[in-house]
Amino acid sequence: MTHSSLIGDLIDLDSALKADRSTDSDKKKQRDRALGRTLQQQRNNPARQIRGWLSQVSIDAWKRDGHHAVQLYHVLCVLLTVAGVATGWGLARAVLHYTGNAPINIVNALGLLVLLQILLLLLWCLSTIPRVPLFGSLQSALRFLNPGRLTRHLARFFPARSRQSLSLVWDTDYATALAPAARWLFSFWSQLFAFCFNIGVLLAAFYLISFSDLAFAWSTTLNIDSATFHHMLRALSWPWHSLFPDAVPSPELVDISRYYRLEEGSLAHAVTASELAAELGQWWPFLVSAIICYGFIPRLLTLLISWSRFRHHLAHALPHLPGAPELLARMNSPLITTAARQPESAADIDIDTDYEATESGSYNLQCALIDWSGTGVNTDTATRQLQAMGISFKDFLPAGGTRTTDQDNATIMSLCRLKPQGIAVMVKSWEPPLLEFLEFIHSIREQCNRQQPIINLLWGGADSVTERDHETWQLTLRQLKDPDLHIEAMGSAQ
C-alpha cells in the first residue's frame, strides 16, 4: 500500500461521501451493512476496511477523481527531482569552477556544499520534533516556511480537475483530519528536492574530477593557523576516518595548501606547478566524503522518514474524514430498520459473547460522570436515577459532540488524574455508538491503565429507552471485549 494510492483513495472517499448525501438513509444502511459483512475480517483496521468499501461500492453521480490527484502528485515529484538535480549540478559547477589562475578555496566549498546543509538539516529536525514550549514559535515559523509548501503553488499551472483534487490534502476545511498529513507531505517534497540536490552536487563533482584537473587550497582572513585548521578538518572527518583514512587531510596537505591572494596569488610553500598538482588534487576525497556524510545520507534518511510519516497520517486520516465515522458505524453496527426483510443473525457480528455489556443495577460506586455529545439530561433527574443504581458523582466532564480530539484527550487525562472508583458515561440512546465513541472508551482504558467499571447510561430523552436502542448499544459495545463494561437505561426499557 503506497502513499500515492492512499492519496487516490482519500480523494475518492471524500467525493463518494459527498455524492452519497443524496442517497436514502435506509438504503445506505442496508448497502453499507451488506458490504460490512464482507469486510468483517478487516474491521480492526478502519483504513483498510474503508478502502475495501471504496473498491466495492457503487454510488450514482460519483466521479472517481483520485487518479487525477495521483497523476499530479507524481508529476510534481518528477519536477522536484529534476529541479533538485539541476540546482545541485549548477551550484557544484559554480563552486568548483577552476580556470587554472587560482586554486579552488576548500573553505568556500565546505561552507556552501556542506556546512549550509548541516544548518538546514538542524532546522528541519527542530521543525519536526514535538512542540517544545521554549521553541514553539520558532517551530511554527519553520513549518510555515518549509520550502515544500511552494510546491502546491506549482499545481496552479495544471488542469483544474487535478489541482482541486490534490488540494484536498492541504484544504483548511479538512485541517482537523489532514493537517498532519499535509505537514509531512510538504516535508517529503522539501526532502525530495534536497536529496536530489545532493545527487546533482555529487554528479557534478565526479564529472569535474574525472574530466578536468582540479586544484584545491584553503584561505581565510580569520586568524587560523594550519594546525588549528587541521584539527577542525579532523573533527569534520571523524564519521569516516576509520573507513576511509585517505579521505582525511594530512597535516602536510593542510600546511602546503594554504593560499595567500597577493597579486597573482602565492602558496605557503611555493614549488613548481607540476609538483603541486598531485598534492593539491588530494582534497577531493575529503570534499566528496563530507558531501555524502553530511548531505546525501542525512537527506536520504529525512526523505524516508517524511515518506513514512506522510503515509502513516494519510492512513490515519481516512477513517476521520467528515462522514467516514458514520460510514464505519453503518458497516459494523447491526442493521436497524423497520423495513428489514429479515433480522440479522448474531453470526453476522464477529464478536465474543463472553464480553457482554452487563447490567447490574446496584453498584455502590463513586464515579466521574461524562456527558457524551450533550445529552441535555436534567441534573436533578440524573442524580436521582444514579442514586437508585448506587452511583454517586461529584465530577461532571463533557466529551464528544462538537469537541475536538484534543479536548476529549484532555478529558481522559482528567479522568486518569481523578482515579475514581468507576466512570459513568451518559449517552443518547437513539444515536447508535459510532467509532468515535468506541475509540474514546478504548482510550480511557489505554491511557488510564486501570481496570475500573465503565457504566454506559442510556438516556432516552422525553421517552423511555426502547428495546431496539438498548440492543443496538449492547451489541456494538461487545466489540470492545471489555469484561468490566456495563450498560444501564436511565428509565425503564420499553
Side-chain angles (χ1 to χ4, degrees):
M1 181 173 63
T2 63
H3 61 276
S4 58
S5 62
L6 278 170
I7 292 176
D9 287 341
L10 185 78
I11 307 303
D12 285 341
L13 176 62
D14 180 66
S15 60
L17 293 175
K18 288 179 179 177
D20 207 25
R21 291 172 182 171
S22 59
T23 306
D24 179 72
S25 178
D26 287 338
K27 183 178 179 180
K28 283 195 292 188
K29 290 178 182 178
Q30 294 177 13
R31 178 202 66 199
D32 295 339
R33 182 60 189 132
L35 292 176
R37 289 200 199 103
T38 66
L39 299 168
Q40 282 299 297
Q41 70 277 11
Q42 299 173 356
R43 68 184 302 160
N44 293 326
N45 189 328
R48 193 176 297 277
Q49 192 176 38
I50 285 179
R51 300 185 82 197
W53 179 85
L54 281 172
S55 66
Q56 299 182 35
V57 73
S58 176
I59 302 174
D60 295 337
W62 175 31
K63 295 181 179 180
R64 293 178 179 263
D65 295 327
H67 66 283
H68 295 290
V70 172
Q71 289 175 353
L72 178 56
Y73 166 79
H74 286 147
V75 169
L76 292 175
C77 288
V78 170
L79 290 177
L80 287 172
T81 299
V82 174
V85 172
T87 304
W89 176 278
L91 181 61
R93 288 296 301 266
V95 172
L96 302 179
H97 179 66
Y98 177 57
T99 62
N101 295 327
I104 301 166
N105 190 349
I106 195 70
V107 176
N108 183 49
L110 287 176
L112 291 175
L113 300 180
V114 177
L115 299 181
L116 182 60
Q117 294 211 67
I118 295 176
L119 174 62
L120 293 176
L121 186 65
L122 292 175
L123 293 177
W124 178 86
C125 291
L126 182 61
S127 69
T128 55
I129 61 176
R131 186 174 294 273
V132 179
L134 185 61
F135 300 104
S137 299
L138 177 59
Q139 288 177 296
S140 298
L142 291 173
R143 291 168 184 171
F144 178 76
L145 296 174
N146 188 325
R149 288 178 174 269
L150 299 176
T151 309
R152 63 180 178 177
H153 298 297
L154 292 177
R156 298 177 180 177
F157 300 97
F158 292 87
R161 188 172 184 179
S162 299
R163 180 181 69 249
Q164 292 170 358
S165 297
L166 186 60
S167 65
L168 173 72
V169 179
W170 56 79
D171 193 330
T172 54
D173 292 339
Y174 294 82
T176 301
L178 288 172
R183 180 161 61 88
W184 283 105
L185 171 61
F186 298 146
S187 175
F188 172 75
W189 276 338
S190 67
Q191 298 314 300
L192 176 63
F193 176 87
F195 175 70
C196 294
F197 169 86
N198 279 276
I199 292 178
V201 169
L202 290 172
L203 288 175
F206 284 120
Y207 173 81
L208 292 172
I209 291 167
S210 302
F211 296 100
S212 64
D213 56 330
L214 300 182
F216 296 89
W218 67 279
S219 178
T220 175
T221 309
L222 300 176
N223 186 21
I224 300 176
D225 58 22
S226 297
T228 302
F229 189 60
H230 178 256
H231 288 314
M232 295 169 61
L233 296 178
R234 281 191 62 84
L236 201 61
S237 307
W238 184 86
W240 67 84
H241 77 282
S242 59
L243 293 175
F244 307 104
D246 292 339
V248 181
S250 65
E252 294 78 13
L253 177 61
V254 174
D255 190 45
I256 199 175
S257 302
R258 182 146 198 184
Y259 178 76
Y260 298 95
R261 193 168 55 177
L262 297 173
E263 296 182 357
E264 296 182 0
S266 62
L267 290 160
H269 300 275
V271 293
T272 62
S274 59
E275 293 175 336
L276 281 174
E279 295 291 339
L280 298 184
Q282 293 180 16
W283 281 96
W284 76 262
F286 165 75
L287 180 60
V288 170
S289 298
I291 294 171
I292 293 175
C293 182
Y294 296 108
F296 180 81
I297 294 177
R299 291 303 182 178
L300 175 60
L301 293 177
T302 58
L303 178 65
L304 293 176
I305 291 172
S306 299
W307 175 85
S308 176
R309 298 309 298 165
F310 176 44
R311 179 176 175 274
H312 167 78
H313 287 292
L314 272 181
H316 185 264
L318 271 176
H320 293 88
L321 277 184
E326 291 80 359
L327 168 63
L328 287 168
R330 291 195 298 269
M331 294 173 67
N332 297 318
S333 299
L335 184 62
I336 307 170
T337 173
T338 56
R341 296 180 179 180
Q342 60 183 12
E344 292 190 287
S345 64
D348 292 334
I349 305 175
D350 185 18
I351 53 180
D352 191 339
T353 55
D354 290 340
Y355 294 96
E356 184 78 53
T358 60
E359 297 183 53
S360 173
S362 179
Y363 294 93
N364 191 25
L365 293 173
Q366 187 175 48
C367 297
L369 182 62
I370 298 175
D371 183 16
W372 179 263
S373 193
T375 59
V377 180
N378 181 277
T379 305
D380 294 336
T381 302
T383 301
R384 288 196 302 270
Q385 295 205 29
L386 293 178
Q387 287 177 345
M389 301 177 193
I391 299 174
S392 61
F393 70 92
K394 62 177 181 179
D395 299 296
F396 187 86
L397 304 172
T402 59
R403 292 171 60 84
T404 65
T405 302
D406 289 340
Q407 290 174 322
D408 284 347
N409 287 335
T411 298
I412 294 174
M413 294 303 296
S414 298
L415 286 173
C416 297
R417 288 192 298 268
L418 291 171
K419 297 182 179 179
Q421 293 177 319
I423 298 172
V425 186
M426 289 193 302
V427 298
K428 301 170 186 175
S429 64
W430 62 91
E431 293 183 355
L434 303 179
L435 179 64
E436 178 187 8
F437 179 80
L438 300 181
E439 288 183 344
F440 180 77
I441 299 298
H442 177 72
S443 296
I444 292 176
R445 288 289 191 225
E446 190 175 60
Q447 296 185 34
C448 294
N449 197 26
R450 297 181 69 236
Q451 194 63 29
Q452 59 195 148
I454 297 180
I455 307 163
N456 294 274
L457 305 169
L458 305 185
W459 171 250
D463 302 319
S464 299
V465 179
T466 66
E467 288 285 2
R468 185 181 296 275
D469 290 343
H470 193 281
E471 181 183 4
T472 299
W473 276 88
Q474 194 169 50
L475 290 173
T476 305
L477 291 178
R478 286 180 185 173
Q479 301 175 35
L480 296 176
K481 297 184 178 181
D482 190 330
D484 214 358
L485 191 64
H486 308 270
I487 187 169
E488 298 286 349
M490 296 180 67
S492 60
Q494 293 181 350

